[in-house]
Amino acid sequence: MWGGRFAVGPDAAMAHINASIDFDRRLYAQDIAASKAHGEMLVRQGIVSAQDGKAILSGLDTILREIEAGDFTFDAALEDIHMNVEARLRALIGEAAGRLHTARSRNDQVATDFRLWLRETIDALDGQLRDLQAALIDQAEAHAATVMPGYTHLQPAQPVTLGHHLLAYVEMFGRDRGRLADCRTRLNECPLGAAALAGTSFPIDRAATAKALGFDRPTANSIDAVSDRDFALEFLSTGAILAVHLSRLAEEIVIWCTDRFAFVALSDAFSTGSSIMPQKRNPDAAELVRGKCGRVIGSLNTLLVVMKGLPLAYGKDMQEDKEPVFDAADTLTLCLAASTGMLRDLRPDVDALRAATAGGFLTATDLADWLVRVLGLPFREAHHATGAIVQRAVKRNCLLAELPLADMQEIEPRITKDVYDVLSVEKAVESRNSLGGTAPVQVKAAVAAARERFL
C-alpha cells in the first residue's frame, strides 16, 4: 500500500498493531454508503467521468452484497475497512477504482463512517429504551394502588405505591433518551470532504454529500472534522449514565427477590440455579446487568484517556476510539433487552409488599403533619412530639395506629382520636395527592401522561 514511499514492508508487530480490520469491519455498510455518496458527487462535479462513476457504484453494490452474504475475504494486510473495500473494488473494476479516493482521506472517511454507524445505533437504543419504558408503565398501571415501603438510606421511610416507584425509572430512562437525542443532533454533521485535515483543491460539493447521507450540514472546520471525537465521548457519557440507571434498577430487582424482602419473583426465564445447592433461584440476569455497568463506564474512561493529550489534527491513537464505543453499544443493547424482559416477567407479591409497610413507623410523618394541620404546631415541634410518640410505640412494641390515645396525650395533650384517621398506610398514600405524588389517583394520571410523553 505504501510502495511509493517505503522500500520494505512493516515488521510483524507493526502490521498487527496497525491493523483495525478485526473490529472496524462493522462499518462496512456505512463505508460503502459514504463512498457511493462521494462517488456520485465527484461525477456531478465533473471530477470523475460518468463511465467511471457508474463502474464505481456498481462495484460498491457488488461488495456490499458479498459482505452481507459472507463471501467477502477481509485482509489484515490492508489494515482497515476502507482499504479492504478499495482493494476489492480495484479487483472488480480495475483502474477506475483509484479515482474514488479523489478529494478525500481515510481521516474524513472514518469520521463519516463512525458518525453514520453511531447515528443508527442511537436510533436502535432509543427504540429499546422506549420498550423498557413501556414495560415499566404497564407494571405501574397494574400496581397504581399497590402499597409498599418507600426507602431512604435503604431504611423504611414512608409508604408509597409500587406504581409510583416504577414510574421513577420511567423518568430516568426518559432523560437518557433525551441525552441520546441531543448526542444525535450534535453528531449529525458530515466530515466528508475535509480530506486529511486541510480540505481539498478539487471543486467538491460537501453540502450534497452531507444531504445524501442524511446529515444536517457539513462540518464547518476541516481540522476539527477529522480530529473531533466529541460525538463518541458524548455517546459514551450518555451510555454510562444509562448503564448506571440500568444498574440501579437491577439492584432493586436483586434486593426484592431475596427471601428477606420477597417483594417480587422472576420466572425461570430470567433466573438460574446453583451447581451445588439445588434449592437456589438466583436473579442472575439482574446481577449481570448490574455488573456490566462497569464495562460502559470503563469504555468512557478509555476514550477520555486516549483523547486527553492529542494535538490537532488526526493521530493514529484515534484508531482506539471504535472498540470502546462498539463494546459499550453492544453491552447496552444486551442489558436493555434483559432489563425489558425482566420487567415484563416481573411478578410482584402484593401481599408481601403490603405486609412490609407494617414496620418502620412509616406513617410518622403523617402524624407530624396532622399535629401541624390540626393543632397548629410549628413543624419542628410536631417533629419532636412525633419522635417521642414513636419512641413510646417502640417500648410498647406496637404500630403507631395501635398505640393507645392516652399514651399520645401524655406527650401532646391536645391529640384526639381523630389522629387515627391518618395513621393507616392506605390513608397515608391517598393523602399524598400533590402533583407527582404517590396517591393512586396521581399515579394513574402519571401513567397516562407518561404514555403520551414517551410512547
Side-chain angles (χ1 to χ4, degrees):
M1 185 167 25
W2 317 121
R5 175 66 175 84
F6 291 80
V8 298
D11 181 85
M14 175 59 188
H16 186 68
I17 198 173
N18 196 42
S20 60
I21 190 59
D22 286 346
F23 53 85
D24 71 14
R25 66 176 63 186
R26 293 177 66 152
L27 301 176
Y28 75 87
Q30 293 77 25
D31 192 71
I32 291 172
S35 289
K36 290 176 69 175
H38 185 70
E40 289 171 344
M41 180 275 295
L42 292 175
V43 171
R44 284 196 303 270
Q45 296 299 108
I47 300 169
V48 170
S49 71
Q51 181 179 356
D52 285 346
K54 183 178 180 181
I56 288 169
L57 294 180
S58 176
L60 290 171
D61 285 337
T62 297
I63 294 169
L64 181 62
R65 288 193 297 270
E66 289 177 349
I67 295 176
E68 290 180 340
D71 297 331
F72 188 93
T73 301
F74 293 98
D75 185 355
L78 294 170
E79 295 186 7
D80 56 34
I81 185 61
H82 320 298
M83 299 310 296
N84 269 266
V85 169
E86 183 174 321
R88 178 57 180 153
L89 186 62
R90 179 176 288 274
L92 288 171
I93 69 171
E95 183 181 288
R99 302 188 186 282
L100 177 60
H101 208 56
T102 306
R104 75 175 186 184
S105 161
R106 287 192 298 175
N107 294 356
D108 61 338
Q109 262 190 283
V110 70
T112 303
D113 295 353
F114 202 10
R115 286 175 188 247
L116 287 170
W117 183 90
L118 197 50
R119 192 174 68 188
E120 294 174 14
T121 299
I122 287 172
D123 291 344
L125 289 174
D126 181 73
Q128 284 192 285
L129 275 165
R130 183 187 182 279
D131 291 342
L132 177 55
Q133 287 180 300
L136 285 161
I137 291 169
D138 288 345
Q139 287 279 18
E141 185 172 37
H143 294 282
T146 299
V147 295
M148 66 173 289
Y151 296 89
T152 61
H153 309 278
L154 206 55
Q155 302 295 320
Q158 291 180 291
V160 297
T161 67
L162 177 58
H164 188 57
H165 190 105
L166 295 176
L167 285 176
Y169 285 103
V170 173
E171 295 300 318
M172 292 161 70
F173 294 127
R175 292 192 295 274
D176 290 321
R177 291 179 70 184
R179 278 183 284 267
L180 283 172
D182 290 344
C183 177
R184 191 189 193 284
T185 296
R186 270 183 287 278
L187 73 78
N188 206 36
E189 296 183 347
C190 184
L192 200 58
L197 79 161
T200 178
S201 60
F202 289 95
I204 62 173
D205 185 349
R206 292 190 63 209
T209 50
K211 182 178 180 180
L213 292 169
F215 288 105
D216 293 330
R217 65 192 68 83
T219 51
N221 182 282
S222 60
I223 294 176
D224 179 60
V226 299
S227 61
D228 167 44
R229 290 300 183 271
D230 287 2
F231 61 91
L233 287 168
E234 186 172 359
F235 171 75
L236 289 174
S237 177
T238 295
I241 297 172
L242 167 56
V244 168
H245 291 163
L246 290 169
S247 181
R248 295 182 73 181
L249 175 59
E251 170 68 359
E252 297 220 88
I253 292 174
V254 170
I255 292 172
W256 290 354
C257 282
T258 62
D259 280 351
R260 292 299 178 96
F261 279 77
F263 285 176
V264 300
L266 291 173
S267 74
D268 293 353
F270 290 96
S271 305
T272 62
S274 164
S275 64
I276 189 173
M277 296 170 285
Q279 82 282 10
K280 293 297 294 296
R281 283 182 59 84
N282 301 322
D284 278 5
E287 291 174 10
L288 287 165
V289 169
R290 184 179 61 186
K292 287 180 182 296
C293 174
R295 293 180 69 116
V296 183
I297 295 171
S299 293
L300 170 61
N301 194 51
T302 294
L303 190 53
L304 284 168
V305 173
V306 167
M307 298 298 299
K308 72 173 182 63
L310 294 186
L312 298 177
Y314 181 83
K316 195 71 170 186
D317 317 51
M318 293 166 68
Q319 185 167 286
E320 295 298 308
D321 59 357
K322 283 169 283 299
E323 286 183 284
V325 171
F326 290 161
D327 187 77
D330 290 346
T331 300
L332 290 170
T333 297
L334 180 58
C335 288
L336 283 166
S339 298
T340 302
M342 284 189 290
L343 261 295
R344 293 284 184 202
D345 185 72
L346 205 66
R347 300 192 303 275
D349 188 326
V350 175
D351 294 334
L353 288 160
R354 175 62 179 85
T357 64
F361 304 102
L362 297 182
T363 57
T365 304
D366 297 272
L367 172 56
D369 288 347
W370 187 90
L371 294 174
V372 171
R373 187 170 55 251
V374 177
L375 301 186
L377 269 64
F379 183 79
R380 282 298 162 212
E381 290 183 24
H383 186 283
H384 181 81
T386 300
I389 292 170
V390 167
Q391 185 62 28
R392 184 67 62 90
V394 170
K395 290 180 179 179
R396 284 190 173 273
N397 192 28
C398 68
L399 304 177
L400 283 178
E402 298 169 346
L403 188 66
L405 180 61
D407 284 325
M408 296 190 199
Q409 290 175 333
E410 285 183 19
I411 296 165
E412 173 47 65
R414 291 176 292 169
I415 294 178
T416 68
K417 62 181 178 61
D418 293 340
V419 74
Y420 292 103
D421 291 339
V422 301
L423 296 183
S424 77
V425 168
E426 284 74 17
K427 287 287 183 63
V429 167
E430 289 174 7
S431 72
R432 296 301 192 275
N433 197 26
S434 57
L435 179 65
T438 195
V441 64
Q442 286 292 337
V443 174
K444 291 175 183 176
V447 163
R451 289 194 188 281
E452 184 173 346
R453 289 165 59 200
F454 298 121
L455 308 183

